[in-house]
Amino acid sequence: MSNTIDNILQHNNEGVKSLCRGRFIAAKSSFRAALVGLNKLEIKLGEQDQENPSSKPKTCPLVIETRTLPNLRRKDDDSQYFICRDALLLSNHDPDADYGSLYPIIGAGLIGIVVFNLSLTSHYHEYLNSGGATNLKNVVRTYSKVWDALNNDSFLLKEYHPIQKEKMMLATLNNMGIIFHKLENYSKAKRCFSTLKLICSQKTAGVQSLQRDVRYGMAMNALFADQPSPACAA
């Protein structure tokens, strides 16, 4: 079981490396391979009627690290949207962990991380290729799956990595908001940024951990969310 998890983590991390190098097709392929692995694992464990562990470990065998993508910008782009761009690497610090019993409580979080990386890849790819409305709608649908996975997560991120979970939620809201704004769907953009501002106003550990430029970028995006123009924050 540990080998299966390691293969999934390897696909995810290879995807992040490709993404950082601007190799978007290769990155998408790696993230999708990770998701296929997670789906197969879920089916296998379902066939075994795997139950939630009776006792939950005090420490998490999976460690999350971030890689900030370069702030790419097209020469013909006069907008000033700020994209949250921290991709997520995963590593297994306990090869002996019983992932067969742990998966029911960490699966949703794992899926959320991989889908977030896939969403970020698609967002960057479409941005640099001047993606049309249809492609951008596909990107925002992928981000919405991240939101669903984060809401379904009950342990991996919530218990072990709560700060990272909150940062993922903020990044997802921000990035969905700027896509909706670009698509001129101002009501949905406003909804995203209103939720983002509400979370930020609580000054939680996740909010406080954001880099200053990230907080500023989010704030400026939210400031112009009501305006029917693509002028957002750098």
Side-chain angles (χ1 to χ4, degrees):
M1 188 63 66
S2 178
N3 288 337
T4 301
I5 289 291
D6 286 338
N7 287 337
I8 292 169
L9 303 189
Q10 183 178 357
H11 284 308
N12 177 77
N13 295 346
E14 287 176 350
V16 172
K17 291 176 183 176
S18 294
L19 175 55
C20 290
R21 295 169 183 161
R23 299 174 59 222
F24 302 114
I25 301 300
K28 290 179 184 179
S29 177
S30 294
F31 294 134
R32 285 170 179 149
L35 290 172
V36 168
L38 286 168
N39 184 57
K40 288 180 177 179
L41 180 58
E42 188 168 345
I43 292 172
K44 180 178 180 180
L45 293 175
E47 292 172 348
Q48 296 174 358
D49 196 23
Q50 190 73 46
E51 297 180 355
N52 289 353
S54 55
S55 61
K56 299 173 182 178
K58 295 181 180 180
T59 59
C60 182
L62 296 179
V63 175
I64 303 173
E65 299 177 68
T66 60
R67 287 291 182 273
T68 301
L69 305 179
N71 188 15
L72 301 179
R73 190 174 294 280
R74 298 196 317 265
K75 292 181 179 180
D76 63 339
D77 182 27
D78 58 357
S79 70
Q80 297 295 308
Y81 293 111
F82 175 83
I83 302 175
C84 292
R85 54 188 191 278
D86 280 349
L88 303 173
L89 290 165
L90 291 162
S91 56
N92 178 12
H93 280 210
D94 185 3
D96 297 324
D98 182 7
Y99 284 101
S101 63
L102 282 176
Y103 186 81
I105 59 174
I106 68 173
L110 271 175
I111 292 171
I113 289 170
V114 178
V115 176
F116 178 81
N117 285 336
L118 178 59
S119 302
L120 194 56
T121 304
S122 299
H123 194 168
Y124 254 50
H125 195 195
E126 294 306 327
Y127 168 75
L128 291 177
N129 286 334
S130 304
T134 300
N135 291 339
L136 289 174
K137 287 177 182 177
N138 289 335
V139 174
V140 85
R141 275 195 287 269
T142 310
Y143 273 126
S144 69
K145 293 178 182 178
V146 178
W147 189 257
D148 291 341
L150 291 176
N151 284 325
N152 289 331
D153 169 68
S154 61
F155 203 73
L156 174 62
L157 295 167
K158 182 179 179 180
E159 298 292 332
Y160 289 139
H161 302 286
I163 291 177
Q164 189 60 61
K165 178 173 183 174
E166 190 170 0
K167 290 169 73 174
M168 287 175 65
M169 292 177 71
L170 292 169
T172 301
L173 286 168
N174 178 84
N175 292 358
M176 287 177 68
I178 60 179
I179 293 175
F180 281 131
H181 200 261
K182 190 173 182 65
L183 291 171
E184 300 182 357
N185 192 331
Y186 302 118
S187 61
K188 288 189 176 180
K190 183 178 180 180
R191 196 180 309 162
C192 287
F193 288 118
S194 293
T195 305
L196 187 150
K197 286 190 289 185
L198 177 62
I199 297 173
C200 287
S201 68
Q202 298 170 6
K203 297 182 179 180
T204 59
V207 173
Q208 296 297 324
S209 71
L210 294 172
Q211 296 292 327
R212 184 176 180 181
D213 66 316
V214 175
R215 291 200 301 269
Y216 177 78
M218 287 181 174
M220 294 304 292
N221 282 344
L223 180 64
F224 292 105
D226 294 331
Q227 300 182 14
S229 74
C232 288

